[in-house]
Amino acid sequence: MESPYDVLDIDADADEDEVVRAYRTRVKEAHPDHGGSLAEFERVRRAYDHITAGRDPTTFEARLGDGRRGTGDRTDGSEPSAAETDETATAADTDEPAETADADEERTLGPTVEYLDYAVLESHGWELTDDDLFEKAEAADLDVDRHGILVVQPRETLLEAAERYGFSWPYACRGGACANCAVAVVGGEAEMPVSTVLTDEMKDRGIRLSCIAEPVTDDLRVVFNIGRLPALAELRLPAEQFTNARADD
C-alpha cells in the first residue's frame, strides 16, 4: 500500500521542514500545466494534508478515478470503519467502464493561483513591478506559506481559498469595505462584484480585495499582504478590529 510519504518521495521520519519542501516540489511537478495530471495533483495534495493532520499513514489511499474517496479520506479526520474499508476495497477492485476514465481525464482544475507574500519583497529588496518577480521567488526556496500554488474552487474568493489551504492571509471586514486583505494581481485577472474603497487608479494597477475577488482567468499570480503600502494604509481598519475579526464575519 502506498503511503503519503511515498507520494511525496520522503522518509517516514521526515521532519516538518522536509515535508514542506517535498510538497512544494511535488505539487509543482504534478500540476497539469507542468506536465502532470489532475489525479496526480490531487494525490499530492491529499498526501500532504494527511501527513500534516497527523493521521495514520496506513489509512492513506489515492483518490479513486470516479471521484469516490479512498480509505482514510474522511472530512472529519476520523478513521474508517472495517465495513467502509471493505466497501472501498471492493469498489477499487471493480472494473470501471471506459467512459468513467474518459470523464476523469476531461475534468479540469479550477483557477490556479501562484501566490507570494509581500513581506518577502521587502526583505529581499524586490519590487512589485519586477518582471521576474515570481522567478526570483522560485529560486529563493521559500516556505510554502510565503510562496506556492493553490487552486480556487467555484464561487470561492481568493481569501477563502487561502484559508482552505490553512494559510492566514490578512483580512478584517471580509466585505470589501477596507484594504486589510488587499492583494496585487501581477498575472491573470480577478474580478470583484463591487469595491467602495479602491480607486480606479488602484484597480488599474491590479489591486484587488481578496475577500471578495474571484479569478476569471485559469492562471493567476498574486502578491498578498500588501495592505501596509502607503496608498492603502489609510484604507485599513484599526489593528484591534483586524485582530478581533473572525472567519464568519
Side-chain angles (χ1 to χ4, degrees):
M1 179 183 296
E2 187 177 42
S3 80
Y5 295 96
D6 294 331
V7 175
L8 297 187
D9 196 22
I10 54 177
D11 294 332
D13 59 354
D15 61 26
E16 182 178 348
D17 289 340
E18 291 176 303
V19 171
V20 170
R21 285 196 299 269
Y23 165 70
R24 184 169 57 241
T25 299
R26 289 287 292 115
V27 79
K28 291 176 183 176
E29 294 173 346
H31 195 282
D33 289 346
H34 294 189
S37 67
L38 173 60
E40 180 66 8
F41 185 87
E42 290 181 340
R43 193 167 68 109
V44 171
R45 273 297 314 174
R46 290 191 58 249
Y48 176 73
D49 290 344
H50 202 93
I51 293 172
T52 55
R55 297 176 186 150
D56 183 350
T58 64
T59 66
F60 176 80
E61 286 186 11
R63 184 182 297 274
L64 302 177
D66 63 356
R68 295 189 300 268
R69 294 181 181 274
T71 305
D73 189 15
R74 296 169 62 90
T75 57
D76 61 1
S78 61
E79 302 297 340
S81 66
E84 290 172 322
T85 301
D86 291 342
E87 181 182 353
T88 301
T90 301
D93 292 337
T94 303
D95 290 334
E96 295 179 2
E99 57 267 23
T100 299
D102 292 341
D104 188 55
E105 286 298 319
E106 292 175 0
R107 288 192 303 151
T108 59
L109 287 171
T112 301
V113 178
E114 185 175 4
Y115 58 87
L116 178 61
D117 189 345
Y118 184 72
V120 174
L121 279 67
E122 293 181 317
S123 63
H124 286 76
W126 302 339
E127 300 291 339
L128 278 172
T129 53
D130 291 346
D131 292 336
D132 59 346
L133 178 59
F134 279 80
E135 287 68 28
K136 290 188 290 190
E138 176 69 25
D141 193 31
L142 302 168
D143 290 339
V144 71
D145 59 336
R146 300 299 184 190
H147 173 241
I149 293 174
L150 57 81
V151 176
V152 183
Q153 295 179 345
R155 297 180 297 281
E156 188 175 48
T157 67
L158 295 175
L159 179 60
E160 289 169 338
E163 291 177 332
R164 178 168 50 81
Y165 276 76
F167 301 134
S168 299
W169 289 13
Y171 74 89
C173 71
R174 301 182 75 91
C178 73
N180 293 61
C181 72
V183 298
V185 177
V186 298
E189 183 57 85
E191 289 185 351
M192 301 177 293
V194 66
S195 173
T196 59
V197 297
L198 297 181
T199 65
D200 289 340
E201 180 182 0
M202 291 175 180
K203 288 182 283 188
D204 289 343
R205 289 167 51 196
I207 295 175
R208 301 289 186 269
L209 302 178
S210 65
C211 70
I212 59 173
E214 298 181 10
V216 292
T217 55
D218 290 338
D219 297 292
L220 205 64
R221 281 181 164 179
V222 304
V223 177
F224 70 95
N225 194 26
I226 68 168
R228 59 182 180 275
L229 285 174
L232 297 170
E234 64 183 24
L235 301 177
R236 295 184 59 184
L237 289 177
E240 62 272 13
Q241 195 162 351
F242 165 76
T243 303
N244 295 329
R246 303 187 312 276
D248 58 354
D249 284 348

